[in-house]
Amino acid sequence: MAKSKPFVSDIENIRKRARKDIEKGAMTAGYAADRPTVIKLLNHALATELVCVLRYKYHYYMASGINSQSVKAEFLEHANEEQGHADLIAERITQLDGKPNLSPEGMLSRSHADYVEGVDLVDMIKEDLVAERIAIDSYREIIDYIGTDDSTTRRMLEGILAMEEEHAEDMNTLLEQLGKKGEPAKAAPGKKSASGKRG
């Protein structure tokens, strides 16, 4: 049987610290992480999410072909979920007394994922899968870096990571389904498409 561990808290000291530096809001003396670095990492994650929103939206509007309707719905759902992630991250940055960097200038250099349009439906799905895989590894690294120093940020990122893993699985499933349905990845160069235009 595990030995019980007594919980000891100096509530008087906690009360005094709460009144000191009250203008810092949620930031108390007990925050153990390197705040400027965490804010920088979160701004990179924010840029990554926003680039993913834009890529998924582009794919939603540009997807075409016999199998595109169900795929378009998936692109739109993912775009909305990535926007939700961006909102969570921006909110956390402000809670840490930082500023969310929403400037379009330099967004691609801050983002871990690329913005690649793709030339057809299969290409779009592949690019989204690659971006999700990048996000998964990036979030794992940030979570490992934060460790137990900022449990709130860690929990938020773990939730986002779980959803990015779902997104990657969704994209992988779509690729498998399209392969079975025989949708061509690309028209052969110089061949006429159904519309009569050359590729």
Side-chain angles (χ1 to χ4, degrees), residues 6-170:
F7 177 76
V8 180
S9 177
D10 183 355
I11 198 68
E12 282 304 314
N13 199 19
I14 289 174
R15 286 175 180 162
K16 285 177 188 172
R17 286 198 320 252
R19 292 187 179 280
K20 185 181 176 198
D21 301 323
I22 195 167
E23 72 281 354
K24 291 185 177 176
M27 292 304 305
T28 67
Y31 185 80
D34 177 355
R35 194 175 57 84
T37 300
V38 171
I39 290 169
K40 180 181 176 186
L41 292 172
L42 289 177
N43 266 315
H44 286 196
L46 177 59
T48 302
E49 294 294 341
L50 293 173
V51 167
C52 287
V53 169
L54 295 172
R55 191 187 57 256
Y56 272 123
K57 283 280 193 163
Y58 177 84
H59 291 170
Y60 168 72
Y61 289 114
M62 295 303 294
S64 62
I66 193 167
N67 299 308
S68 67
Q69 288 310 306
S70 61
V71 177
K72 283 177 76 146
E74 199 73 35
F75 288 158
L76 184 59
E77 180 182 329
H78 286 200
N80 292 336
E81 289 170 348
E82 303 291 8
Q83 182 62 59
H85 298 166
D87 293 340
L88 286 172
I89 293 166
E91 185 63 35
R92 184 59 183 156
I93 291 168
T94 62
Q95 288 172 353
L96 293 172
D97 203 25
K99 294 179 181 177
N101 189 344
L102 296 168
S103 172
E105 190 174 331
M107 188 174 291
L108 278 174
S109 64
R110 292 189 307 276
S111 170
H112 296 169
D114 295 321
Y115 178 88
V116 182
E117 294 177 348
V119 295
D120 56 44
L121 194 59
V122 170
D123 221 23
M124 290 174 185
I125 296 168
K126 284 180 181 175
E127 289 304 330
D128 289 328
L129 177 55
V130 167
E132 295 293 357
R133 289 171 55 83
I134 290 168
I136 288 166
D137 277 346
S138 295
Y139 281 123
R140 281 192 186 132
E141 286 184 6
I142 296 170
I143 289 165
D144 287 344
Y145 170 79
I146 290 171
T148 58
D149 291 340
D150 180 344
S151 56
T152 303
T153 300
R154 181 187 178 98
R155 280 195 312 272
M156 176 194 71
L157 293 176
E158 285 172 341
I160 293 172
L161 170 61
M163 197 166 277
E164 302 297 7
E165 289 174 344
E166 282 180 34
H167 288 177
E169 190 57 34
D170 291 344

